[in-house]
Amino acid sequence: MPMQTITFVRHGQSMANIGAVTTEHHSVALTDAGCAQAAALADLLPQQCAKVLVSPFERAQHTAQPFCEKLGLTAEVVPLLHEFETTDPDQTKGMTGAERAPLIDAYWAQADVNARMGPRAESFAEFAGRVEAFKREVLPQLPNGTVIFGHGMWNALLYWRLMGFSVNDAFAMKSFRRFQIGFPMPNGAAYHLQQSQPGQWRIGADDVVMRR
């Protein structure tokens, strides 16, 4: 079986990343710095690209746009790729990042995989189910050279699952949160997943992109 390499890219810096006031999850915009990161990625990412997938969220789509324009490609929107909707935007309306932080910290400290922070939020179990569905149904079918534009926590959970860790209880949820916080994935980071045998993936950072 030939080597299969899939590149995962975190979106550029967004308004949420700098602690701006809450907006709808899907419509969080890139900052000027995030737009510059997106422009730089167009030259830094693999120039032989078989396919581009992107999250439904605008910050990921806007990060993918310069790359797609340079290569003359159209990104396919994949609903499973959207970021964890931890909070209900109706319940955090008008809050800054600093004001949201205690609510989010309390949610992770509770570590109830089925808890939902409002009707328009996801539970951790639902989030994990989306990532698992992608891992099981989509990832094995992707052509070599696919580039995927998505999100930091989503990517971290995929890597967590590929390493064999569980997501089913409070211990797993707290352990994942520690992993995710410490995992080096700045805005605009890229990681390559390489599969040489079915179901066996090696995760490697793109050092050139990381150092841009």
Side-chain angles (χ1 to χ4, degrees), residues 88 123 126 133 174 198:
D88 184 330
S123 69
E126 290 168 331
K174 287 184 176 181

Side-chain angles (χ1 to χ4, degrees), residues 20-86:
V21 171
T22 300
T23 61
E24 294 289 331
H25 294 300
H26 71 274
S27 62
V28 175
L30 294 180
T31 63
D32 289 344
C35 291
Q37 289 168 340
L41 285 167
D43 296 323
L44 293 170
L45 292 173
Q47 301 296 292
Q48 299 298 317
C49 176
K51 189 174 189 177
V52 178
L53 304 184
V54 67
S55 157
F57 287 3
E58 291 179 10
R59 54 194 183 274
Q61 294 180 19
H62 292 164
T63 303
Q65 185 174 350
F67 178 72
C68 289
E69 289 177 349
K70 181 179 180 185
L71 272 62
L73 299 171
T74 300
E76 176 185 342
V77 177
V78 178
L80 291 172
L81 288 170
H82 76 72
E83 184 61 299
F84 184 22
E85 296 179 302
T86 316

Side-chain angles (χ1 to χ4, degrees), residues 92-109:
T92 54
K93 186 175 181 178
M95 289 186 179
T96 64
E99 291 167 335
R100 291 190 299 269
L103 300 176
I104 295 171
D105 289 345
Y107 169 79
W108 287 101

Side-chain angles (χ1 to χ4, degrees), residues 154-171:
W154 193 102
N155 285 347
L157 189 58
L158 176 65
Y159 306 155
W160 178 259
R161 293 294 293 129
L162 289 173
M163 290 187 289
F165 292 108
S166 68
V167 290
N168 300 324
D169 55 25
F171 178 82

